[in-house]
mmCIF file of all heavy atoms in Angstrom:
data_model
loop_
_atom_site.group_PDB
_atom_site.id
_atom_site.type_symbol
_atom_site.label_atom_id
_atom_site.label_comp_id
_atom_site.label_asym_id
_atom_site.label_seq_id
_atom_site.Cartn_x
_atom_site.Cartn_y
_atom_site.Cartn_z
ATOM 1 N N LEU G 357 26.129 14.112 -35.808
ATOM 2 C CA LEU G 357 26.687 12.893 -36.440
ATOM 3 C C LEU G 357 25.806 11.672 -36.234
ATOM 4 O O LEU G 357 25.874 10.727 -37.000
ATOM 5 C CB LEU G 357 28.079 12.585 -35.877
ATOM 6 C CG LEU G 357 29.226 13.481 -36.323
ATOM 7 C CD1 LEU G 357 30.505 13.109 -35.579
ATOM 8 C CD2 LEU G 357 29.456 13.386 -37.828
ATOM 9 N N TRP G 369 33.186 10.460 -31.750
ATOM 10 C CA TRP G 369 33.434 11.844 -32.210
ATOM 11 C C TRP G 369 32.524 12.841 -31.475
ATOM 12 O O TRP G 369 32.111 13.858 -32.041
ATOM 13 C CB TRP G 369 33.245 11.985 -33.722
ATOM 14 C CG TRP G 369 34.346 11.332 -34.514
ATOM 15 C CD1 TRP G 369 35.611 11.817 -34.701
ATOM 16 C CD2 TRP G 369 34.287 10.088 -35.220
ATOM 17 N NE1 TRP G 369 36.333 10.932 -35.473
ATOM 18 C CE2 TRP G 369 35.545 9.884 -35.815
ATOM 19 C CE3 TRP G 369 33.297 9.122 -35.404
ATOM 20 C CZ2 TRP G 369 35.843 8.747 -36.578
ATOM 21 C CZ3 TRP G 369 33.590 8.008 -36.179
ATOM 22 C CH2 TRP G 369 34.847 7.831 -36.748
ATOM 23 N N HIS G 374 30.634 17.696 -37.432
ATOM 24 C CA HIS G 374 31.771 17.709 -38.366
ATOM 25 C C HIS G 374 31.332 18.375 -39.669
ATOM 26 O O HIS G 374 30.408 17.882 -40.334
ATOM 27 C CB HIS G 374 32.218 16.279 -38.665
ATOM 28 C CG HIS G 374 33.284 15.784 -37.738
ATOM 29 N ND1 HIS G 374 33.131 15.720 -36.375
ATOM 30 C CD2 HIS G 374 34.546 15.320 -37.993
ATOM 31 C CE1 HIS G 374 34.236 15.248 -35.834
ATOM 32 N NE2 HIS G 374 35.109 14.992 -36.791
ATOM 33 N N ASN G 376 33.380 18.884 -42.297
ATOM 34 C CA ASN G 376 34.258 18.632 -43.446
ATOM 35 C C ASN G 376 33.656 17.565 -44.361
ATOM 36 O O ASN G 376 34.309 17.027 -45.204
ATOM 37 C CB ASN G 376 35.687 18.279 -43.022
ATOM 38 C CG ASN G 376 35.788 16.967 -42.279
ATOM 39 O OD1 ASN G 376 34.797 16.283 -42.051
ATOM 40 N ND2 ASN G 376 36.999 16.604 -41.901
ATOM 41 N N ASN G 378 30.393 15.645 -43.091
ATOM 42 C CA ASN G 378 29.336 14.846 -42.483
ATOM 43 C C ASN G 378 28.008 15.581 -42.313
ATOM 44 O O ASN G 378 26.955 15.037 -42.670
ATOM 45 C CB ASN G 378 29.820 14.300 -41.133
ATOM 46 C CG ASN G 378 31.222 13.729 -41.249
ATOM 47 O OD1 ASN G 378 32.190 14.469 -41.106
ATOM 48 N ND2 ASN G 378 31.345 12.455 -41.550
ATOM 49 N N GLU G 506 41.095 14.417 -44.881
ATOM 50 C CA GLU G 506 42.019 14.072 -43.846
ATOM 51 C C GLU G 506 43.099 13.183 -44.423
ATOM 52 O O GLU G 506 43.603 12.292 -43.806
ATOM 53 C CB GLU G 506 41.244 13.401 -42.708
ATOM 54 C CG GLU G 506 40.074 14.297 -42.249
ATOM 55 C CD GLU G 506 39.233 13.675 -41.114
ATOM 56 O OE1 GLU G 506 39.653 12.722 -40.464
ATOM 57 O OE2 GLU G 506 38.136 14.213 -40.890
ATOM 58 N N ARG G 588 38.965 7.365 -47.494
ATOM 59 C CA ARG G 588 37.492 7.516 -47.469
ATOM 60 C C ARG G 588 37.025 8.872 -48.009
ATOM 61 O O ARG G 588 35.947 8.984 -48.578
ATOM 62 C CB ARG G 588 36.979 7.272 -46.051
ATOM 63 C CG ARG G 588 37.523 8.230 -45.018
ATOM 64 C CD ARG G 588 37.322 7.722 -43.590
ATOM 65 N NE ARG G 588 37.860 8.682 -42.640
ATOM 66 C CZ ARG G 588 39.161 8.830 -42.365
ATOM 67 N NH1 ARG G 588 40.051 8.062 -42.969
ATOM 68 N NH2 ARG G 588 39.570 9.733 -41.506
ATOM 69 N N HIS G 589 37.799 9.923 -47.790
ATOM 70 C CA HIS G 589 37.409 11.233 -48.341
ATOM 71 C C HIS G 589 37.830 11.288 -49.808
ATOM 72 O O HIS G 589 38.980 10.983 -50.121
ATOM 73 C CB HIS G 589 38.124 12.375 -47.606
ATOM 74 C CG HIS G 589 37.621 12.613 -46.221
ATOM 75 N ND1 HIS G 589 36.725 13.602 -45.916
ATOM 76 C CD2 HIS G 589 37.897 11.995 -45.052
ATOM 77 C CE1 HIS G 589 36.473 13.589 -44.614
ATOM 78 N NE2 HIS G 589 37.170 12.616 -44.063
ATOM 79 N N TRP G 631 29.441 6.598 -44.972
ATOM 80 C CA TRP G 631 29.239 7.895 -45.638
ATOM 81 C C TRP G 631 30.043 7.994 -46.926
ATOM 82 O O TRP G 631 29.612 8.614 -47.896
ATOM 83 C CB TRP G 631 29.539 9.072 -44.702
ATOM 84 C CG TRP G 631 30.955 9.205 -44.241
ATOM 85 C CD1 TRP G 631 31.462 8.827 -43.036
ATOM 86 C CD2 TRP G 631 32.057 9.772 -44.975
ATOM 87 N NE1 TRP G 631 32.803 9.118 -42.977
ATOM 88 C CE2 TRP G 631 33.191 9.690 -44.148
ATOM 89 C CE3 TRP G 631 32.202 10.318 -46.242
ATOM 90 C CZ2 TRP G 631 34.456 10.137 -44.537
ATOM 91 C CZ3 TRP G 631 33.457 10.774 -46.648
ATOM 92 C CH2 TRP G 631 34.572 10.677 -45.802
ATOM 93 N N HIS G 669 29.327 3.335 -39.827
ATOM 94 C CA HIS G 669 30.607 3.911 -40.306
ATOM 95 C C HIS G 669 31.662 2.840 -40.456
ATOM 96 O O HIS G 669 32.311 2.846 -41.532
ATOM 97 C CB HIS G 669 31.039 5.007 -39.304
ATOM 98 C CG HIS G 669 32.323 5.691 -39.646
ATOM 99 N ND1 HIS G 669 33.556 5.099 -39.525
ATOM 100 C CD2 HIS G 669 32.584 6.943 -40.121
ATOM 101 C CE1 HIS G 669 34.514 5.954 -39.897
ATOM 102 N NE2 HIS G 669 33.940 7.069 -40.258
ATOM 103 N N GLN G 673 26.770 5.980 -37.682
ATOM 104 C CA GLN G 673 26.876 7.415 -37.973
ATOM 105 C C GLN G 673 25.797 7.705 -39.009
ATOM 106 O O GLN G 673 25.701 7.006 -40.008
ATOM 107 C CB GLN G 673 28.263 7.723 -38.511
ATOM 108 C CG GLN G 673 28.616 9.195 -38.452
ATOM 109 C CD GLN G 673 30.090 9.431 -38.758
ATOM 110 O OE1 GLN G 673 30.952 9.167 -37.931
ATOM 111 N NE2 GLN G 673 30.356 9.907 -39.948
HETATM 112 C C1 FUC Y 801 35.215 12.733 -40.705
HETATM 113 C C2 FUC Y 801 35.642 11.368 -41.240
HETATM 114 C C3 FUC Y 801 35.562 10.243 -40.293
HETATM 115 C C4 FUC Y 801 34.337 10.372 -39.424
HETATM 116 C C5 FUC Y 801 34.332 11.709 -38.725
HETATM 117 C C6 FUC Y 801 33.151 11.905 -37.836
HETATM 118 O O1 FUC Y 801 36.258 13.516 -40.324
HETATM 119 O O2 FUC Y 801 36.928 11.386 -41.781
HETATM 120 O O3 FUC Y 801 35.492 9.057 -41.050
HETATM 121 O O4 FUC Y 801 33.207 10.243 -40.204
HETATM 122 O O5 FUC Y 801 34.302 12.722 -39.670
#
Side-chain angles (χ1 to χ4, degrees):
L357 286 175
W369 288 284
H374 269 58
N376 66 0
N378 314 87
E506 306 179 16
R588 61 197 180 282
H589 288 261
W631 65 259
H669 180 288
Q673 197 170 285

